Amino acid sequence: MQKTSAEIGGMGHPIKRKEDGRFIQGKGNYVDDVNLPGMVYGHMVRSPYAHARLKSINTEAAKKLPGVLAIITGEDLAKANLAWMPTLSYDKQMVLATGKVLFQAQEVAFVVAEDRYTAADAAELVEVEYEELPVLVDPHKAMDADAPLLREDRTEKNNKIFHWEVGDKAATDKAFKEAAVVSKVYALSPRCHPAPLETCGCVADFNKATEKLTVWLTSQAPHAHRTVFALVGGIPEQNIRVISPDIGGGFGNKVPVYPGYVCAVVASLTLGVPVKWIETRSENLQSTGFARDYHMTAEVAADKDGKVKAMRVKTLADHGAFNAAAQPTKFPAGLFSICTGSYEFPQAFCEVDGVYTNKAPGGIAYRCSFRVTEAAYLIERVMDVLADDLKMDPVELRQKNFIPAAKFPYQSPLGWTYDSGDYHAAMKLALDTVGYDALLKEQAEKRKKGELMGIGISSFTEIVGAGPAHSFDILGIKMFDSAEIRVHPTGKAICRMGTKSQGQGHETTYAQIVAQELGIPAKDVQVEEGDTDTAPYGLGTYASRSTPTSGAATAMAARKIREKAKKIAAFLLEASEEDLEWEPGKFSVKGAPGKSKTIQEIAFAAYTNIPPGLEAGLEAVNYYDPPNLTFPFGTYIAVVDIDKGTGEIKVRRFVAVDDCGNIINPMIVEGQIHGGLTEGFAIAFMQEITYDESGNVQGGTFMDYLVPTAVETPHWETGKTTTPSPHHPFGAKGVGESPNVGSPAAFVNAVVDALSHLGVKHIDMPITPWKVWNILKEKGLTG
Ligand code: CDP
């Protein structure tokens, strides 16, 4: 790839983020900043019970409160056949409860009032009579014969959502029978929440005169949401405009369609005025977009030298009351079958059972490519258990089993074709950076003195960029993505895509791709996303798919433009196209470097001096169907010290070596890694949403659900290797979620390593000081 000048700012330049100017001045434009004339406000009445029959709803007192305009119940929606809506996983979900409620904080009625406070006050006055039903919280009990039946709406009279399996069971079982060593771990990936800075919300504006519905939405996938609104609401799709303005973090939380959106639309259709609905923080934490809740058992068969022979995985997936997260149709357990990770397993078998419980719908891909985080955690944990069983160094075990660089593209036993990788190189850089040998010595000395120090390794492989249309779709819509570039007569450009940034810096990096491909300075390229009336159709941003899909589409569209630009240049230079050579920003006649035309001159000619036979203008669109996913990887090493008196864990060092192929903007990538590591740190040590036996959600406020601040967050040391993707137009792989995928195992492995000489094999996340202190107490070490 030709390096562009700093002035052009193409690939590899750490240019500052264009969008930050408005963000740091407080001039971002979020959904709650949208204020329209005559706008009114909606507020949800929510169930205090996790499972209860709805006996009656009395709205009389609420309606009498001055300022209240309407109260919508499930029965009202049922009249319009809108009480239930389809989910993005071929299930259905109640918009507003009818018959019964299935989780605490479920949506029961929608109050609309002239202002937000009146709506909230009136919601308190809605009298709902419930009759409590037995509650199912433990997913392990969901399939018991005496388990309460949750989803009475289904023909299947049980709580099972799906059973999914992949791999060769017979060959895997045989390998286990013949194995010298079998190691096993039961690991929980606890229910957690992305807790984005901005909660979910919308402003729905139905214009009765034009019959056009405009919805400002906290949406990671505006086009997909437009199509769902059209299908559910029966509104012609051309009359729906979804605008996703600035988004304050998504992390998967803003992919599903939530009842609040539908109610705001219904209210606007009914009242003929714009309706705003914005979740409170607690509503966000209690009812929308939970992640993980995977109860996983992994076994690894190996010979006595540590060469792995087979992997067997059995997992229970708790999806809550509705299977509402977006999953590619063919993959009910997402991309969990990447669970053989970075290792050359001859055989593997993986099965997942999805069940309903009385919890808010879960299963979203929290900074994660559809369950890859759970998979990476599991394999990196069980490899450490195997190393411990074999009394082998976990680094040596990993190195012995890495898929060698020469074996890529590599076919995994669970069906994936890894595009490229060099795991030994990433591991070596991480070991050298952290000073592994010296750390091992230090640890041995500390152990002699009774001090607790641990080193945790994670050599993860990711799978991002969903996905090839032949196997990836959501509700039948293929998972391609798009870019449209228009070059203006003065050589500046606008670029629109089907993805939608939520803080990842797309306005900068897509401009850099155009700069690289066309030589138009990145500062001259305006990037716009999120308006379905203007952007080409796409499936949105989640699962680190933007660079592999829309990033690729941007390069392909730019290349189409360059082809046309070449024709125009040949005309202007009175040369044949074959005689022209390209360097970023201009075409020159070979051997006559003075004879050249810049992209700006060519753009002007495209509108003012058009070659005969060519269409005017300089623009192109590309819908990119990736031939494969991309497989970023890395090695992370955490070093922890544990205080015996309090159980407190200090992450002394954390080295993160990532490989996401060719990098567009190293500064943005580093920022992505810092953010993802911080989230991984929080998941490993601080965050969990649990439920008591009555289904009351614990952790539904920031008092209980902890978000790390700069005080707790460790210092991150980052490094990189570069193994380009062979099939991506500019060799890039996605990166946004890698740090969140790879880091939890490094943290947990470090803590377990610090305690392994005491016989500790595994501790479930979040590893709180209290948990560690109890272990130390049991071992008689607290003093
Ligand atoms: O889909 P999402 O934007 O969340 O994830 P991504 O494709 O991994 O990109 C995250 C950010 O990192 C974007 O601004 C990308 O353009 C940037 N990136 C990069 O500069 N180089 C890469 N090889 C991958 C991503």
Side-chain angles (χ1 to χ4, degrees):
M1 197 178 320
Q2 280 172 289
K3 180 89 184 160
T4 55
S5 63
E7 170 63 18
I8 290 177
M11 293 269 301
H13 288 281
I15 59 180
K16 284 191 181 166
R17 302 197 336 164
K18 292 172 162 219
E19 43 272 79
D20 285 351
R22 67 176 187 278
F23 292 148
I24 60 177
Q25 292 178 71
K27 300 280 191 226
N29 181 37
Y30 298 89
V31 171
D32 206 11
D33 292 321
V34 176
N35 288 306
L36 303 176
M39 190 173 79
V40 299
Y41 298 82
H43 191 91
M44 278 291 175
V45 176
R46 294 178 182 274
S47 169
Y49 296 106
H51 196 195
R53 195 77 59 201
L54 263 184
K55 303 292 282 180
S56 66
I57 303 180
N58 184 345
T59 58
E60 289 312 311
K63 273 185 190 150
K64 283 191 191 130
L65 195 71
V68 171
L69 302 168
I71 298 175
I72 303 169
T73 65
E75 296 299 333
D76 299 327
L77 291 181
K79 287 175 204 145
N81 203 20
L82 282 174
W84 290 75
M85 62 178 176
T87 71
L88 298 175
S89 291
Y90 286 103
D91 194 3
K92 53 182 189 153
Q93 173 176 2
M94 286 186 226
V95 177
L96 293 173
T98 49
K100 65 176 185 170
V101 289
L102 287 162
F103 64 92
Q104 188 182 52
Q106 187 179 332
E107 300 80 1
V108 173
F110 190 70
V111 178
V112 187
E114 282 166 3
D115 65 83
R116 194 175 275 182
Y117 303 102
T118 306
D121 287 348
E124 298 277 316
L125 298 175
V126 175
E127 292 161 21
V128 187
E129 201 189 333
Y130 299 93
E131 180 187 303
E132 283 185 74
L133 293 167
V135 172
L136 175 62
V137 172
D138 183 353
H140 295 276
K141 296 188 178 150
M143 295 305 293
D144 290 355
D146 59 352
L149 175 69
L150 305 193
R151 293 288 300 276
E152 291 163 351
D153 56 293
R154 303 196 322 153
T155 41
E156 303 91 336
K157 296 299 168 211
N158 57 40
N159 297 316
K160 175 175 158 180
I161 307 175
F162 64 83
H163 173 82
W164 180 74
E165 54 183 57
V166 60
D168 188 334
K169 185 173 190 317
T172 303
D173 289 347
K174 183 165 174 289
F176 269 89
K177 272 204 193 94
E178 292 164 1
V181 186
V182 173
S183 291
K184 183 173 180 175
V185 71
Y186 170 78
L188 170 67
S189 185
R191 178 171 266 243
C192 58
H193 197 287
L197 214 55
E198 178 203 24
T199 61
C200 299
C202 69
V203 175
D205 181 19
F206 182 69
N207 183 324
K208 282 193 168 165
T210 60
E211 297 195 333
K212 195 150 180 168
L213 172 70
T214 306
V215 191
W216 285 264
L217 196 64
T218 48
S219 170
Q220 294 178 234
H223 283 99
H225 287 160
R226 184 188 70 189
T227 302
V228 172
F229 283 138
L231 294 175
V232 175
I235 305 166
E237 198 166 355
Q238 80 279 12
N239 282 356
I240 305 174
R241 179 180 186 185
V242 173
I243 301 174
S244 198
D246 286 328
I247 300 287
F251 311 112
N253 184 229
K254 291 166 183 169
V255 177
V257 177
Y258 293 120
Y261 303 159
V262 179
C263 288
V265 169
V266 170
S268 182
L269 284 166
T270 315
L271 298 170
V273 290
V275 179
K276 181 183 272 189
W277 169 76
I278 304 284
E279 274 178 343
T280 63
R281 175 59 58 191
S282 293
E283 286 179 298
N284 181 256
L285 283 175
Q286 292 170 12
S287 68
T288 51
F290 289 93
R292 320 284 193 249
D293 224 337
Y294 255 35
H295 304 247
M296 311 178 285
T297 304
E299 293 169 278
V300 168
D303 67 20
K304 56 183 186 328
D305 298 328
K307 191 83 190 148
V308 296
K309 299 291 174 197
M311 184 182 192
R312 201 158 51 191
V313 174
K314 193 165 171 51
T315 287
L316 189 61
D318 184 342
H319 284 245
F322 307 102
N323 191 20
Q327 295 293 345
T329 308
K330 280 195 190 156
F331 303 97
L335 306 183
F336 188 62
S337 52
I338 191 73
C339 60
T340 53
S342 309
Y343 312 103
E344 212 179 358
F345 278 95
Q347 298 297 344
F349 178 71
C350 169
E351 57 186 320
V352 182
D353 287 288
V355 294
Y356 294 115
T357 57
N358 287 121
K359 301 176 188 169
I364 61 131
Y366 168 14
R367 205 168 188 152
C368 159
S369 192
F370 308 112
R371 304 297 192 175
V372 62
T373 312
E374 291 89 329
Y377 176 62
L378 188 64
I379 178 67
E380 289 306 307
R381 211 49 288 290
V382 76
M383 287 304 273
D384 258 34
V385 174
L386 175 63
D388 193 56
D389 289 345
L390 289 165
K391 302 279 165 272
M392 204 169 160
D393 183 315
V395 167
E396 190 193 334
L397 179 75
R398 284 176 169 81
Q399 286 170 331
K400 182 170 265 190
N401 289 294
F402 275 156
I403 302 156
K407 286 208 175 163
F408 288 87
Y410 164 78
Q411 187 65 41
S412 89
L414 295 181
W416 301 108
T417 308
Y418 295 18
D419 58 348
S420 62
D422 187 348
Y423 303 150
H424 285 282
M427 172 70 97
K428 181 169 182 326
L429 181 58
L431 294 174
D432 291 349
T433 308
V434 83
Y436 188 61
D437 293 338
L439 286 172
L440 285 179
K441 277 198 202 104
E442 184 192 342
Q443 185 185 38
E445 277 155 26
K446 288 215 157 127
R447 271 193 188 162
K448 276 188 224 147
K449 291 191 263 173
E451 292 174 29
L452 300 174
M453 168 190 163
I455 309 163
I457 317 280
S458 169
S459 297
F460 64 96
T461 289
E462 262 262 71
I463 172 169
V464 304
H470 57 74
S471 41
F472 282 86
D473 70 81
I474 289 181
L475 291 185
I477 306 167
K478 301 292 186 183
M479 295 186 77
F480 57 83
D481 229 294
S482 59
E484 181 204 74
I485 305 170
R486 292 184 186 172
V487 184
H488 308 313
T490 53
K492 321 289 181 192
I494 181 163
C495 189
R496 294 181 168 123
M497 14 275 310
T499 49
K500 173 63 206 163
S501 184
Q502 310 120 44
Q504 295 93 325
H506 290 183
E507 286 172 46
T508 311
T509 46
Y510 285 133
Q512 288 185 262
I513 300 170
V514 176
Q516 179 68 39
E517 298 288 341
L518 291 179
I520 299 173
K523 67 174 172 34
D524 292 344
V525 183
Q526 180 196 349
V527 173
E528 243 185 49
E529 294 176 302
D531 185 339
T532 58
D533 264 11
T534 54
Y537 202 97
L539 273 280
T541 290
Y542 38 86
S544 285
R545 65 188 297 279
S546 301
T547 304
T549 58
S550 271
T554 307
M556 300 308 272
R559 288 174 196 180
K560 283 191 203 174
I561 288 176
R562 206 162 71 203
E563 277 307 303
K564 183 167 180 186
K566 193 177 191 182
K567 291 188 197 315
I568 300 172
F571 169 72
L572 297 176
L573 292 164
E574 295 175 346
S576 81
E577 284 181 55
E578 296 75 54
D579 290 338
L580 296 185
E581 60 188 1
W582 169 256
E583 68 182 273
K586 65 176 174 195
F587 277 108
S588 310
V589 179
K590 284 179 200 157
K595 267 191 100 184
S596 62
K597 286 289 169 193
T598 64
I599 189 74
Q600 289 77 12
E601 290 168 317
I602 295 167
F604 197 66
Y607 298 89
T608 59
N609 183 15
I610 307 148
L614 262 195
E615 269 180 50
L618 200 54
E619 59 185 64
V621 61
N622 181 267
Y623 287 82
Y624 189 77
D625 177 12
N628 189 7
L629 296 119
T630 65
F631 295 75
F633 59 92
T635 291
Y636 292 169
I637 303 181
V639 185
V640 303
D641 297 303
I642 298 178
D643 183 298
K644 280 199 293 189
T646 61
E648 197 187 335
I649 303 147
K650 178 159 176 41
V651 178
R652 190 206 307 176
R653 289 190 66 192
F654 195 98
V655 170
V657 172
D658 271 277
D659 192 323
C660 60
N662 290 331
I663 287 178
I664 305 162
N665 184 322
M667 188 169 63
I668 287 183
V669 166
E670 195 179 357
Q672 291 285 304
I673 290 167
H674 282 206
L677 292 176
T678 306
E679 287 183 319
F681 169 77
I683 289 164
F685 292 120
M686 301 162 84
Q687 300 180 334
E688 184 178 25
I689 305 258
T690 55
Y691 292 78
D692 71 12
E693 58 191 20
S694 307
N696 294 308
V697 58
Q698 322 279 293
T701 72
F702 277 163
M703 283 296 285
D704 304 300
Y705 192 75
L706 306 179
V707 177
T709 67
V711 176
E712 297 84 25
T713 304
H715 172 71
W716 311 120
E717 299 169 57
T718 55
K720 72 167 169 85
T721 55
T722 305
T723 313
S725 168
H727 63 77
H728 185 274
F730 51 89
K733 303 180 178 188
V735 75
E737 62 193 41
S738 287
N740 196 34
V741 169
S743 65
F747 293 118
V748 174
N749 286 348
V751 176
V752 174
D753 181 55
L755 305 171
S756 61
H757 61 294
L758 307 171
V760 173
K761 290 259 180 205
H762 176 74
I763 309 171
D764 272 329
M765 299 184 288
I767 305 187
T768 56
W770 172 243
K771 265 190 203 169
V772 173
W773 186 82
N774 273 301
I775 293 168
L776 294 171
K777 184 161 178 263
E778 198 187 292
K779 307 281 178 194
L781 287 177
T782 41

